[in-house]
Amino acid sequence: MSLVQQSRVFLGVSRSALGRPWRDRLDTAGLGRAEALSQREGLSDILSRLLVSRGVEPAEAALFLEPRLRDLLPDPAVLTDMEAAAARLAQAGIKGERVAIFGDYDVDGACSSALLAGFLTQAGARPRIHIPDRLIEGYGPNSEAIRMLAGEGATLLVTVDCGTTSEEPLAEARRLGLDVVVLDHHQAPERLPAVEALVNPNRQDDLSGLGHLCAAGVVFLALVATSRALRRQGHWGRGGEPDLLAMLDLVALATVADVVPLQGLNRAFVRQGLAMMRSRARPGLAALMDVSGLDGPIQPWHLGFLLGPRINAGGRIGDAALGARLLLTDDEVEARTIATELNRLNQERQEIERLAVLEAVSQAEHELAGMAELPVLLAGSADWHPGIVGLVAARLKERFRRPAFALALNGEGGATGSGRSIAGVDLGRAVRAAVEAGHAVKGGGHAMAAGVTLAAGQASAFHTFLNEHLQREVDAAGDAEALLVDAALSAGGATPRLLAEIDKAGPFGSGSPEPVFVFPAHRLTDAVEIGSGGHVRIKLRSGDGASIGGIAFRAAQEPLGQALFAARGEMVHLAATLSLNRWGGRETAELRILDLARPV
């Protein structure tokens, strides 16, 4: 039985404003282990609870609190085909070859492309990045682009964050005389393209146990292996070897933005990468931080909510290559110019997304009115830009708490779409099964996110297949759904000092959830909508008179925002995460609202 099933209902909340129970993240035995860890290691009660609830054993506590690459970085050779990939990349550097880098148009693809191009340039090769146009080329390698790259004189094609399922385009590359290396992390079919090396910890014959890495993490390990191969051949000479640790800023950004689990090696990547970012040594990231209005030391959530969306904006509705160019440039003027354009595109994207989400929610509500227990939602429109359908799917998933797909319909009756899932429901596997069953042209992805291409007339059969294929998983996920609470706090107890203590258990994200605190029996003194994004600003006061502010992002028109407005002036139990707010030279704790309930 899981900890969630065993743990008690928190504060007696069996149904909150969002219709879910609240449960203590730790059961009775877990609380006992947390107390023992606190006594053994001299840790605070709250930090001990956070560690135990995230599966940290007492013997692992010291390493968990100080994750170091030298302790966690594996020999890259544990990855299938890595030695062959490193040998071919090293050869390209030694011979000064033209290398075509084919990347994906998201943050992970941009970071992976910039990492590899920067390293190969230092190694002596002549890299050229190609990021496909989302509308014209679609996802992954395509034969037309490969012919163009071959015509430019490339002798080696390296695909990053794509390529695992691109059998025919990569066969075309080899027919044209290009060697091919794939560096990817997406779920893989049993049959793989015939290439010089295909490094992917999620290929079925890979036993590395590194399937949680994003593509940039895989690329970084490839650079470690390639640098070692070049060192053995005396290629670097004296003092010419690249500083691989300085590249961890891009690995950290990709790791957070691609929502891979922040566990093990990924935690070390993010911890060390954040330290590199704080030096502002990379002009592109420094410029992006400035246009994002980032104030104070950079935190993990900044990567996912401020920097990542701006890099993605180029691939969604603008020039897909802007992100990689920004991350690779050493020119501060060019960096500011690109960052400003990405910021503008992100603002445009936000408005496009807002209108599409309104339509998608209306479609979903109509669909659920006829079948409330529908396991998977599917919405679509010919008016939606293909670059924002993943964001629309994410909003549907958040609002209706079930997997969702959003489709951009084309003029020929087909569609390209993107889906987002909930914990415990493997959407990528279901999409691959739909392709194999003939209900989609192509598709795949991860457990939590997937993409698909549909031919004319396939949408209905695809939706039916997903509903039947995922019914049991969705039902099980719904039964287990609960808001897991780490501890209760009062307004006066939420301080910057507490946040510093909590931060020791970070970084938080996928696979290492941000701590959730409940503020019991506090008065909600204010709740107002602010800005153009539909955010709700609140003020909470405890019985002793202490108060704390908070915000519920994009909640004004959602059930959470409506519940906050309805509870103004009343006593509530409020569930939230904590963040540090810097304003006017002062630091204060601030709430990010997740849920609320009325005291019984």
Side-chain angles (χ1 to χ4, degrees):
M1 186 176 291
S2 71
L3 292 180
V4 175
Q5 291 172 316
Q6 292 181 26
S7 60
R8 61 189 174 85
V9 173
F10 201 90
L11 290 178
V13 177
S14 57
R15 186 174 178 82
S16 69
L18 297 186
R20 57 186 171 182
W22 292 358
R23 296 190 181 277
D24 198 314
R25 199 182 296 274
L26 289 177
D27 60 6
T28 303
L31 291 172
R33 291 196 299 274
E35 184 176 355
L37 178 62
S38 175
Q39 294 173 354
R40 170 178 161 162
E41 300 293 332
L43 304 177
S44 67
D45 291 341
I46 185 64
L47 184 56
S48 297
R49 288 187 62 149
L50 294 182
L51 297 188
V52 170
S53 65
R54 283 147 185 84
V56 179
E57 297 294 332
E60 303 168 342
L63 180 59
F64 184 89
L65 292 172
E66 293 292 339
R68 295 173 296 192
L69 272 183
R70 65 173 176 265
D71 297 322
L72 294 167
L73 192 71
D75 184 337
V78 300
L79 285 153
T80 300
D81 270 7
M82 179 60 87
E83 290 184 310
R88 186 61 187 88
L89 291 170
Q91 179 185 331
I94 292 169
K95 293 185 175 181
E97 294 181 57
R98 290 186 182 274
V99 181
I101 300 171
F102 202 110
D104 191 13
Y105 34 60
D106 65 359
V107 176
D108 196 12
C111 290
S112 298
S113 299
L115 279 168
L116 184 58
F119 176 90
L120 288 176
T121 299
Q122 289 182 267
R126 293 172 290 167
R128 188 265 210 230
I129 295 173
H130 179 77
I131 306 292
D133 183 283
R134 186 188 292 259
L135 292 178
I136 299 171
E137 298 176 70
Y139 169 79
N142 63 86
S143 297
E144 184 176 346
I146 288 171
R147 286 191 289 269
M148 175 192 70
L149 295 168
E152 294 177 356
T155 53
L156 172 62
L157 172 68
V158 185
T159 70
V160 293
D161 199 25
C162 59
T164 296
T165 60
S166 304
E167 189 171 357
E168 178 51 38
L170 298 187
E172 173 70 6
R174 300 189 84 198
R175 284 193 292 269
L176 292 168
L178 278 74
D179 288 342
V180 179
V181 171
V182 175
L183 302 175
D184 196 8
H185 73 128
H186 290 95
Q187 293 174 344
E190 186 175 349
R191 176 171 169 170
L192 299 173
V195 295
E196 276 61 39
L198 194 155
V199 182
N200 182 337
N202 287 305
R203 57 184 285 176
Q204 295 181 27
D205 60 348
D206 186 282
L207 303 178
S208 66
L210 296 171
H212 57 293
L213 297 182
C214 67
V218 175
V219 169
F220 182 81
L221 291 182
L223 301 189
V224 172
T226 305
S227 187
R228 181 170 61 190
L230 289 168
R231 190 184 315 123
R232 287 170 178 165
Q233 298 179 63
H235 179 71
W236 295 122
R238 288 183 295 179
E241 191 165 345
D243 181 1
L244 295 181
L245 294 182
M247 301 180 184
L248 288 173
D249 55 353
L250 298 188
V251 182
L253 174 57
T255 296
V256 173
D258 219 49
V259 202
V260 293
L262 293 186
Q263 299 168 345
L265 181 57
N266 282 340
R267 289 189 72 244
F269 279 156
V270 174
R271 275 284 188 96
Q272 192 135 356
L274 285 170
M276 294 305 305
M277 284 189 201
R278 288 166 188 150
S279 71
R280 294 174 59 93
R282 190 178 297 272
L285 283 180
L288 200 61
M289 292 178 204
D290 292 340
V291 300
S292 302
L294 199 154
D295 182 30
I298 190 165
Q299 301 297 325
W301 74 269
H302 293 141
L303 310 187
F305 290 96
L306 294 181
L307 305 187
R310 286 167 170 82
I311 293 174
N312 270 333
R316 292 191 188 283
I317 62 172
D319 180 352
L322 283 176
R325 282 174 49 203
L326 175 73
L327 299 176
L328 201 53
T329 185
D330 290 324
D331 186 316
E332 293 184 1
V333 175
E334 182 184 28
R336 284 196 296 272
T337 300
I338 297 174
T340 299
E341 173 63 6
L342 286 172
N343 191 56
R344 184 193 68 78
L345 287 170
N346 189 55
Q347 292 170 341
E348 183 180 336
R349 184 273 306 167
Q350 289 172 328
E351 179 59 18
I352 294 171
E353 177 192 344
R354 185 185 69 81
L355 296 174
V357 167
L358 288 174
E359 183 179 0
V361 167
S362 177
Q363 289 184 30
E365 289 176 339
H366 178 76
E367 195 171 32
L368 291 171
M371 190 179 298
E373 301 306 314
L374 196 66
V376 181
L377 296 174
L378 186 144
S381 172
D383 296 327
W384 295 349
H385 193 292
I388 56 93
V389 290
L391 303 172
V392 175
R395 300 291 173 261
L396 291 176
K397 182 262 297 187
E398 291 168 4
R399 178 166 183 140
F400 298 103
R401 303 207 298 278
R402 69 194 72 194
F405 254 93
L407 303 178
L409 310 179
N410 61 39
E412 300 170 355
T416 57
S418 189
R420 296 294 182 267
S421 195
I422 57 177
V425 180
D426 192 334
L427 197 59
R429 185 177 60 194
V431 170
R432 288 201 317 280
V435 172
E436 293 169 2
H439 299 307
V441 175
K442 64 177 182 178
H446 314 289
M448 299 298 287
V452 70
T453 299
L454 302 176
Q458 283 188 318
S460 179
F462 174 71
H463 192 196
T464 299
F465 179 87
L466 289 183
N467 282 323
E468 293 173 351
H469 195 81
L470 294 175
Q471 177 79 62
R472 185 172 297 179
E473 287 184 37
V474 173
D475 288 346
D479 291 341
E481 184 185 28
L483 181 66
L484 302 183
V485 178
D486 288 280
L489 283 178
S490 67
T495 64
R497 183 176 178 181
L498 176 65
L499 276 164
E501 185 73 4
I502 292 169
D503 192 53
K504 295 176 183 177
F508 301 109
S510 175
S512 181
E514 200 163 355
V516 174
F517 299 99
V518 165
F519 293 77
H522 282 53
R523 189 169 300 280
L524 185 63
T525 58
D526 200 13
V528 296
E529 183 174 355
I530 60 169
S532 59
H535 310 313
V536 178
R537 172 75 67 182
I538 68 102
K539 183 72 76 173
L540 202 64
R541 190 174 66 225
S542 62
D544 61 5
S547 64
I548 188 170
I551 190 165
F553 290 108
R554 296 190 304 268
Q557 304 305 316
E558 303 295 323
L560 176 58
Q562 298 302 304
L564 288 168
F565 294 144
R568 271 183 292 213
E570 299 183 9
M571 299 291 285
V572 297
H573 300 323
L574 198 78
T577 61
L578 293 177
S579 64
L580 192 63
N581 182 42
R582 294 178 175 85
W583 182 256
R586 294 181 62 243
E587 291 186 343
T588 57
E590 184 178 69
L591 308 179
R592 290 196 202 133
I593 315 303
L594 301 175
D595 203 353
L596 77 155
R598 303 295 181 97
V600 291

